[in-house]
Amino acid sequence: MNSLCEPDKKDLDMRLKKIEGQVRGIQRMIDEDKYCVDILTQINAVRGALKKVGLKILDRHTHGCVQRAIKNEEGDAIINELMDVLTKFTN
Amino acid sequence: MNSLCEPDKKDLDMRLKKIEGQVRGIQRMIDEDKYCVDILTQINAVRGALKKVGLKILDRHTHGCVQRAIKNEEGDAIINELMDVLTKFTN
Amino acid sequence: MNSLCEPDKKDLDMRLKKIEGQVRGIQRMIDEDKYCVDILTQINAVRGALKKVGLKILDRHTHGCVQRAIKNEEGDAIINELMDVLTKFTN
Amino acid sequence: MNSLCEPDKKDLDMRLKKIEGQVRGIQRMIDEDKYCVDILTQINAVRGALKKVGLKILDRHTHGCVQRAIKNEEGDAIINELMDVLTKFTN
């Protein structure tokens, strides 16, 4: 179980569908020999969009799962887990 | 025209197809109420894969288009353009 | 008041002193006309070191201040603040 | 020998002196038990400033050393070197 409510899920689903379309668009740009810098600009856009999705889920997770675990005296384990995933997120 | 030869294009196409599948996987994970941290781990994987695709195109562009432009005395404009896209890539 | 205990503070102080020395080293490299790529390698080292310091403080903050606030029913405000600083940290 | 002219060196020197002072400021903040989030905000500022210094040197290097090497038919080696340092810069 995660901490995403229905409106969150709808919003994320819409964002990910758009990202999926953009990834397909990048394949097409490569296929059609489009200019490298234009492909890179599109890659930057997708990376930014994915980061936003990640930050949104991180936010929901911290407000939800993490907060609940802390109130149940299980904070340290879930915070360690959060820090691990966050460290990778900053790479 | 870009600087991607056929083997490059095949390799990038394969990587982007995999990324597209991973993005769909993330949508499914959200839909099936999978644990936030597992979704975030998957998002980190896609971000890393996209970065590799970007670095690969950047490499081809610099070895190809940029090098050619410099030999044709048109280096400064293409380097400025490269720096702009690169600055966004580091965000 | 922050959430850093004495051993944390000693460790961070040692790291920051080293970073300060590295920054001075970069100034010297520029002054002595050292090769750009060697200067950039050194800049990468300092950026990595600073990131580690940031992640360490983030970890202490979450285990300490954030956990305390949540137990005192003041979780949402401190988590919003955490997310803001974290978003900037991922830039 | 690098590709930095005197005005570049002056500008970078000024920026690095400021960064050095900011790093000392962070040590002081830790020492004086300042709030974690304020320390993190300051760390973000220094990381941003260091990135700008890095991008500036990268720009000078590409316009200078890289361009010269390419004109001397030594482009591939210097571009590989550039890509290596750039890959680390994006971490």
Side-chain angles (χ1 to χ4, degrees), chain C residues 28-36 39, chain D residues 1-4 6 9:
Chain C
R28 217 161 27 234
M29 288 175 91
I30 289 173
D31 201 52
E32 297 173 354
D33 273 319
K34 289 286 188 290
Y35 184 46
C36 295
I39 304 176
Chain D
M1 245 300 287
N2 62 41
S3 296
L4 302 168
E6 281 312 310
K9 287 167 84 166

Side-chain angles (χ1 to χ4, degrees), chain C residues 1-4 9 12-13 16-17 19-20 23-24 26-27 29-37 39-41 43-44 46-47 50-51 53-55 57-58 60-61 65 78 81 85 88-91, chain D residues 1-4 9 12-13 16-17 19-20 23-24 26-27 29-37 39-41 43-44 46-47 50-51 53-55 57-58 60-61 65 78 81 85 88-91:
Chain C
M1 244 301 286
N2 62 41
S3 296
L4 301 168
K9 288 167 81 166
L12 290 169
D13 190 63
L16 286 162
K17 278 223 164 64
I19 289 170
E20 198 195 321
V23 172
R24 260 198 305 271
I26 295 169
Q27 291 172 261
M29 288 175 91
I30 289 173
D31 201 52
E32 297 173 354
D33 273 319
K34 289 286 188 290
Y35 184 46
C36 295
V37 173
I39 304 176
L40 283 166
T41 300
I43 288 176
N44 284 341
V46 179
R47 292 178 78 217
L50 257 179
K51 189 164 134 180
V53 166
L55 285 170
I57 295 176
L58 208 54
R60 294 297 86 204
H61 176 61
C65 310
I78 205 167
E81 183 191 60
V85 82
K88 275 163 210 147
F89 195 74
T90 60
N91 278 342
Chain D
M1 245 300 287
N2 62 41
S3 296
L4 302 168
K9 287 167 84 166
L12 291 169
D13 190 63
L16 286 162
K17 279 224 164 62
I19 289 171
E20 198 194 319
V23 172
R24 261 198 305 272
I26 296 170
Q27 289 172 262
M29 288 175 91
I30 289 174
D31 202 53
E32 295 172 356
D33 273 319
K34 290 286 188 291
Y35 185 45
C36 295
V37 173
I39 305 176
L40 283 165
T41 300
I43 289 176
N44 284 341
V46 179
R47 291 180 77 217
L50 259 178
K51 190 164 131 179
V53 167
L55 285 170
I57 295 177
L58 208 53
R60 293 297 86 204
H61 176 60
C65 308
I78 207 168
E81 184 191 60
V85 82
K88 277 164 208 144
F89 196 75
T90 60
N91 277 344

